[in-house]
Amino acid sequence: MITQTTIVLKYIVLRKRMMNEPYRYTERQVFHTVWRLLHVDPEIQRAFVEWFTEGREPRLKYAGISYAELRKHRKMNEFNAFLFMDELKRNPDAALNMLVANDASLTAVGLDELRPELRDYVARKLKEQAADDAKKKEEFRLHDNGSITFKLK
Amino acid sequence: MITFLTTVGIYVASMLVLEGVGWLFNALRMNGVRKRTEEWCKTLPLTGEDRRLVESNRELMREFFPDGIENTLRGMPLDERVELMKNLIDRANSVYGVDVSVVKFAPASELGECTYGQFEREGNTVSVNLDILASDEGDVMRAIVGTVFHELRHAQQYKAITDENYAYGSEEQRRLWALNFAADNYIQPEVDFVLYQKQAVEADARQVAEHIIENF
């Protein structure tokens, strides 16, 4: 899909933008968001690419909620709003329900704070996740230092 | 000529088979990756222990809201609502067996316009949005009461994975919560609001709260 390729090609620029103000994403959050954007509905992906490359404000609206409303009333940043539009399109009822009541985000728990019997399990799972992230990056040829490579056939 | 064409045909067929196998292998591998990506974005069903917790809290609800949430709160002055919620949190704290030591009622300017409540692990504090508590809209009143049980469930999740002497939670629950709370695994609402809602600790807290306030 051409928009997927565009997103992959723009990874360096996307990463830089997301890690700076006002977003200040971590490396993992950048990768999580890009991975999610690579799998959203094609119409939303097109709108995202148009926004990112041409600055065109999307006119997306599903289940009575528009992108602009998410930005203005829910204070979602652009990346978050695109991801939410995808859910509104795919699962409108569930998405609308999500908007009802929210609480503030929670804090992480370090390995050393966990009950002893949970530490090994979580440590092992985190290793698996790191391996999975590497596989995902391999699929789309994304690299942490911002370089992108393509295997020639 | 026939031999040549046969050789070419075999070669092409072999390449196609190899490509197909390679594609299938990769598809299976990435399928596993995708499944594991959402490993902590699932809602476990309530355990028997959870159902007993829900029922104990519903007894509290019957005591605090005998005529239902809307009928009890509508028209009630804000200071009385604050008092009611403070007492509810105090009692529910004991039912959950957690150590919430501070209850705070803060304005939307501090918590966020759309943030109904918050649990802060460091100070063992549950906060409630004062401006939202003042609302007379039916759905909002129900949601703010549900927030109490939602935040206390977060307190319980934390305790279940950090306190060796706290017996609550199945092994499956504790593992899932521990994994979700691991650094960088907890999805912030500012980054991905959808997966923030779907992640295990949030979906679980929502499920428990909904069961407690159902039909009130």
Side-chain angles (χ1 to χ4, degrees), chain A residues 32-44:
Chain A
H32 168 92
T33 303
V34 170
W35 174 258
R36 289 264 283 130
L37 286 168
L38 286 168
H39 294 90
V40 298
D41 177 89
E43 184 186 17
I44 292 163

Side-chain angles (χ1 to χ4, degrees), chain B residues 97-146:
Chain B
V98 293
D99 311 310
V100 169
S101 51
V102 177
V103 177
K104 182 175 167 184
F105 294 87
S109 55
E110 181 180 326
L111 283 182
E113 273 178 41
C114 303
T115 303
Y116 281 51
Q118 183 177 9
F119 172 67
E120 284 170 290
R121 192 162 66 106
E122 257 187 55
N124 263 321
T125 303
V126 165
S127 300
V128 175
N129 191 316
L130 204 48
D131 295 311
I132 294 176
L133 180 60
S135 171
D136 264 351
E137 277 182 51
D139 285 346
V140 175
M141 287 191 280
R142 290 179 53 74
I144 198 83
V145 172

Side-chain angles (χ1 to χ4, degrees), chain A residues 52-69:
Chain A
F52 192 72
T53 56
E54 298 163 35
R56 207 184 301 178
E57 276 299 295
R59 291 175 185 272
L60 299 169
K61 186 172 186 170
Y62 305 111
I65 307 269
S66 70
Y67 170 90
E69 281 168 325

Side-chain angles (χ1 to χ4, degrees), chain A residues 33-89:
Chain A
T33 303
V34 170
W35 174 258
R36 289 264 283 130
L37 286 168
L38 286 168
H39 294 90
V40 298
D41 177 89
E43 184 186 17
I44 292 163
Q45 209 171 72
R46 256 193 311 278
F48 170 75
V49 168
E50 283 170 8
W51 167 75
F52 192 72
T53 56
E54 298 163 35
R56 207 184 301 178
E57 276 299 295
R59 291 175 185 272
L60 299 169
K61 186 172 186 170
Y62 305 111
I65 307 269
S66 70
Y67 170 90
E69 281 168 325
L70 290 179
R71 293 273 295 125
K72 185 178 177 187
H73 299 298
R74 298 297 302 205
K75 308 280 191 271
M76 285 190 192
N77 71 38
E78 294 90 338
F79 304 104
N80 203 356
F82 277 108
L83 294 179
F84 195 80
M85 293 309 291
D86 184 62
E87 188 71 7
L88 269 172
K89 188 173 183 185

Side-chain angles (χ1 to χ4, degrees), chain A residues 15 33 37 40 68 80 95 102 114 117 119 128 134 137 144:
Chain A
R15 182 174 166 274
T33 303
L37 286 168
V40 298
N80 203 356
N102 312 126
L114 292 173
E117 70 270 21
R119 284 176 209 158
E128 270 179 29
K137 285 177 180 176
D144 277 335

Side-chain angles (χ1 to χ4, degrees), chain A residues 93-104:
Chain A
D93 289 341
L96 289 172
N97 222 26
M98 287 178 187
L99 292 173
V100 173
N102 312 126
D103 59 346

